[in-house]
Amino acid sequence: MSSSFRKRTPTNQSKLPPATKINPHNAQLLISTGVPSLDDLLGGGLPVGGVFLIEEDRRTGYSNTLLSYYSSQAIAAGHKLCIVNADRDIDLATQIPGWASVSRGQSATVLPQSGSKNALAGDEAMKIAWRYKNLPKVDTNEAYDDRGALAGGSRTEETPFCERFDLSVRVPRDVIESADVEIIDSESLADMMASGTTHTSDMYKCILDRISALIADGYSSLKPLPPGVERNILRIELCSLGSGFWQGDSDTSILQFLHALRGLLRYSYAACVVSFPAHLYEESGVRLPIVRRVEHLCDAVIELESFEGAYASPADIVARQAKGDNNTKQEYHGFVHIRKLPRLNSLTASTGRLSLLNTGGGSANNMAFRLRRKKFSIETYHLPIEGGVSERRVPSKPDEPKTQTHKLGAGASGGCGSIPGSKNSLDF
């Protein structure tokens, strides 16, 4: 008598696109923004089918640095990249960071040895208070694999989820020319509007039609691919959306554009990153209601608040840039405000369960960013020690000259008994 039980054989599952992984919390496909700490804040990465909004910093260009990471990650992963910038010309060979991985052939960054790493850890522990030394940090020295993959998320093994980048090097021009990149600048936008028959005065509708055509060309989740064709990811980058260079039929053109864009991306293998100059939509220091509506139409929103741009005048910033002072000695360069977290396929955000930096609670928005010569990172903000790290904290030796503070008390009265050993009659 034969048994009725049959051995279950694995079914043929579709292969994930390169440099992607599955979020174990909501089964959402994720891609990397290029910055491991930003991926951590978003719950493991940027969800495919979502719109990520970056509210630009005032008078500085830190948001452009995030966009350059996003572009370089697209080229490293082999994804399709579409960049729309109506403000300035685009030259990726001089604007995006290069790869620092050994497998990419870059030797500009040397990984620290074990001895130097311990010494560095000791120096770092001396610079911050003891209560902050155990705060979690996202390691960017190796290919990034965050808690999402460790907790059960799967990703492709051929291409790392997030490449390691170095701001001091650039991607070779021949690599950029061989990549699948489409750049739409101001001249291309003018040609598209001139050649169009229905959207001759609305730049938003022209861009929306082009994005719709790109999604229909192999990136729609509603159309199956031909046999033997592997699925890929479309990355869209919209720079300074809503600035003075963007022309629309009405004041609500940007809202209609974002609403239609999110509907297109929901049924596609595409993700979009938008930089938005929110400081242009202010009156007497108060933001207009349209900013809140723009945030509502996006899936994830963060704001960069630069210390330099918020408190310095434009003349001071230009003078500092002319001198070549990029404030590399500063501990932090600005705050990162989390306005909205992605909640695709879920009622709650997965950041609290999968993130190392943003664990919720009262310090959920206690984030700051720093820009070094080779990398951009987001960390938990903490106050520096009193007096700074350059102040001397050991008593002076007897043979060393006295400081200016001791000399002031030699001939002047400093208060009742304030100077030990003084012969002043007022001291007691």
Side-chain angles (χ1 to χ4, degrees):
M1 182 177 178
S2 61
S3 175
S4 61
F5 294 99
R6 295 182 181 180
K7 183 179 180 181
R8 178 178 296 178
T9 57
T11 58
N12 295 328
Q13 298 181 354
S14 59
K15 187 178 180 181
L16 292 178
T20 59
K21 68 179 181 180
I22 299 295
N23 189 337
H25 177 64
N26 52 17
Q28 180 68 38
L29 188 65
L30 302 177
I31 62 174
S32 175
T33 60
V35 182
S37 52
L38 181 57
D39 292 341
D40 182 83
L41 289 181
L42 296 177
L46 180 63
V48 174
V51 180
F52 177 41
L53 183 69
I54 302 175
E55 296 183 358
E56 298 179 359
D57 44 305
R58 190 188 303 267
R59 302 192 186 101
T60 50
Y62 295 107
S63 60
N64 295 330
T65 303
L66 286 181
L67 294 179
S68 66
Y69 271 95
Y70 182 75
S71 302
S72 188
Q73 175 62 34
I75 298 177
H79 296 164
K80 168 74 175 181
L81 177 62
C82 178
I83 303 177
V84 182
N85 194 331
D87 294 357
R88 59 191 178 95
D89 297 333
I90 302 175
D91 186 12
L92 295 181
T94 60
Q95 295 175 356
I96 63 175
W99 303 306
S101 300
V102 179
S103 60
R104 295 287 181 177
Q106 300 288 353
S107 59
T109 302
V110 180
L111 297 179
Q113 302 295 331
S114 60
S116 60
K117 184 176 182 180
N118 295 335
L120 181 61
D123 296 339
E124 189 69 18
M126 293 292 292
K127 292 182 180 181
I128 63 177
W130 62 270
R131 60 175 296 186
Y132 300 112
K133 67 179 181 180
N134 293 326
L135 287 177
K137 292 184 178 181
V138 179
D139 187 13
T140 59
N141 290 333
E142 300 296 339
Y144 178 54
D145 188 8
D146 61 359
R147 289 177 58 183
L150 296 179
S154 58
R155 62 179 179 85
T156 56
E157 298 180 356
E158 293 80 1
T159 306
F161 178 72
C162 180
E163 193 65 46
R164 190 164 60 90
F165 300 102
D166 188 347
L167 291 173
S168 62
V169 298
R170 291 293 179 262
V171 179
R173 190 173 294 271
D174 56 344
V175 176
I176 297 177
E177 294 176 354
S178 61
D180 192 1
V181 180
E182 179 177 349
I183 298 177
I184 303 177
D185 53 7
S186 57
E187 296 182 0
S188 302
L189 286 172
D191 296 339
M192 292 171 58
M193 296 175 65
S195 60
T197 57
T198 58
H199 311 316
T200 57
S201 61
D202 198 328
M203 189 180 298
Y204 296 96
K205 294 181 180 179
C206 292
I207 296 301
L208 190 63
D209 291 344
R210 181 53 189 163
I211 293 176
S212 178
L214 288 175
I215 293 176
D217 189 15
Y219 297 98
S220 176
S221 60
L222 302 178
K223 298 180 181 179
L225 291 177
V229 179
E230 295 184 358
R231 182 73 69 179
N232 202 356
I233 299 296
L234 170 63
R235 289 174 177 253
I236 304 171
E237 178 181 322
L238 305 179
C239 305
S240 297
L241 184 70
S243 64
F245 293 92
W246 288 79
Q247 303 175 8
D249 290 339
S250 62
D251 296 337
T252 60
S253 295
I254 184 174
L255 302 178
Q256 299 174 8
F257 171 79
L258 291 175
H259 187 272
L261 176 63
R262 190 171 64 171
L264 284 175
L265 297 181
R266 282 295 189 269
Y267 300 97
S268 67
Y269 285 88
C272 182
V273 173
V274 182
S275 65
F276 177 64
H279 58 275
L280 298 180
Y281 294 85
E282 293 182 357
E283 288 185 359
S284 302
V286 180
R287 288 187 174 182
L288 299 177
I290 192 175
V291 177
R292 179 57 182 163
R293 297 179 66 182
V294 168
E295 295 176 353
H296 180 71
L297 291 173
C298 299
D299 299 298
V301 182
I302 66 169
E303 179 186 359
L304 300 182
E305 182 186 358
S306 170
F307 296 152
E308 184 180 11
Y311 304 106
S313 63
D316 295 338
I317 297 176
V318 173
R320 190 178 294 109
Q321 293 176 352
K323 292 172 56 179
D325 184 10
N326 55 358
N327 294 333
T328 56
K329 295 183 180 180
Q330 290 186 4
E331 189 71 15
Y332 298 102
H333 294 90
F335 287 120
V336 177
H337 302 290
I338 304 174
R339 303 303 184 191
K340 189 177 182 180
L341 292 173
R343 291 177 173 85
L344 278 72
N345 298 341
S346 178
L347 295 178
T348 59
S350 59
T351 303
R353 303 182 181 183
L354 304 177
S355 176
L356 292 173
L357 296 176
N358 187 9
T359 57
S363 61
N365 254 345
N366 197 18
M367 301 294 169
F369 67 89
R370 64 172 70 186
L371 179 63
R372 293 294 182 257
R373 189 175 67 90
K374 293 186 177 182
K375 71 174 183 177
F376 178 96
S377 62
I378 299 175
E379 301 176 3
T380 304
Y381 179 76
H382 60 81
L383 295 176
I385 59 178
E386 183 179 0
V389 297
S390 60
E391 181 180 347
R392 184 170 185 176
R393 298 185 174 277
V394 296
S396 59
K397 297 180 181 180
D399 54 347
E400 292 184 357
K402 295 184 178 180
T403 60
Q404 186 69 17
T405 305
H406 293 161
K407 293 180 181 180
L408 291 176
S413 60
C416 300
S418 60
I419 304 177
S422 177
K423 297 181 181 181
N424 198 320
S425 58
L426 297 178
D427 293 336
F428 56 88

